Amino acid sequence: MTKVTTIKEYSFTLWSKPLSINNAKFRNGRFKPSSKLWLDNIHNELSPHSNALTLLGQDFDPSCQSLMFYLTFYLPKLYTKSGTISKISNDLSNIEKILIDCICSDKVNEHTPNLNLNDAFICDLISKKRSTDDDAHVVVKIAIRDGLL
């Protein structure tokens, strides 16, 4: 078994409400107008992190490293009045996908600052939904891990 250690990481917060991949596109695969607005917001929110994301992507060596993503989605309406998890809070897997695509590559929006890496290099993905009294947001932490799993 190879020892895996974190050699570099970067964290940031995005203050856009999560978008479910199920609600993002029409049946013909084209993005809905509301999704295009969300993509523009994500582009604007990732812009201040452009240099850090570029450097992280350039430092990554797919021959001996893997990526780890930590995503914590903070949602103001996670629970219903009866205290159960709300069905409108979305499935984690559905809100992860489009966000990861935006952060990793330009296949969603060619102008969005990103890692310029294939998301297939993500070997560890830890996602959580948490309740907040604040606006919806997501805390993203990306780590380069030395050693292949």
Side-chain angles (χ1 to χ4, degrees):
M1 180 181 237
T2 305
K3 183 177 179 182
V4 178
T5 57
T6 299
I7 59 168
K8 191 172 188 180
E9 60 186 38
Y10 183 69
S11 300
F12 54 94
T13 300
L14 300 173
W15 286 91
S16 292
K17 181 181 175 185
L19 176 66
S20 171
I21 193 69
N22 292 343
N23 297 328
K25 298 180 180 183
F26 292 114
R27 290 180 191 221
N28 65 6
R30 295 183 58 195
F31 281 105
K32 295 178 180 179
S34 59
S35 301
K36 289 180 181 180
L37 179 61
W38 183 87
L39 292 168
D40 288 343
N41 288 340
I42 291 297
H43 169 83
N44 292 336
E45 289 194 65
L46 287 174
S47 290
H49 309 285
S50 178
N51 290 338
L53 291 171
T54 299
L55 289 173
L56 200 62
Q58 290 171 348
D59 288 346
F60 180 73
D61 181 357
S63 69
C64 61
Q65 296 173 335
S66 63
L67 293 174
M68 179 176 232
F69 268 57
Y70 299 87
L71 304 173
T72 305
F73 295 91
Y74 290 92
L75 305 168
K77 295 181 181 176
L78 181 59
Y79 296 103
T80 63
K81 290 179 183 176
S82 64
T84 61
I85 294 176
S86 171
K87 292 178 184 174
I88 64 167
S89 69
N90 293 314
D91 295 347
L92 273 173
S93 60
N94 293 336
I95 57 178
E96 293 166 345
K97 179 63 179 148
I98 196 165
L99 181 61
I100 288 171
D101 286 346
C102 287
I103 294 169
C104 285
S105 73
D106 59 6
K107 65 182 170 185
V108 176
N109 180 346
E110 64 188 58
H111 304 293
T112 298
N114 60 65
L115 295 170
N116 196 27
L117 295 171
N118 189 319
D119 60 6
F121 296 125
I122 300 171
C123 289
D124 294 287
L125 174 61
I126 299 172
S127 296
K128 305 174 196 175
K129 288 191 291 189
R130 297 293 183 258
S131 183
T132 184
D133 292 331
D134 211 341
D135 291 333
H137 60 285
V138 59
V139 175
V140 178
K141 179 175 157 185
I142 306 163
I144 295 176
R145 305 207 50 209
D146 201 18
L148 297 176
L149 305 175

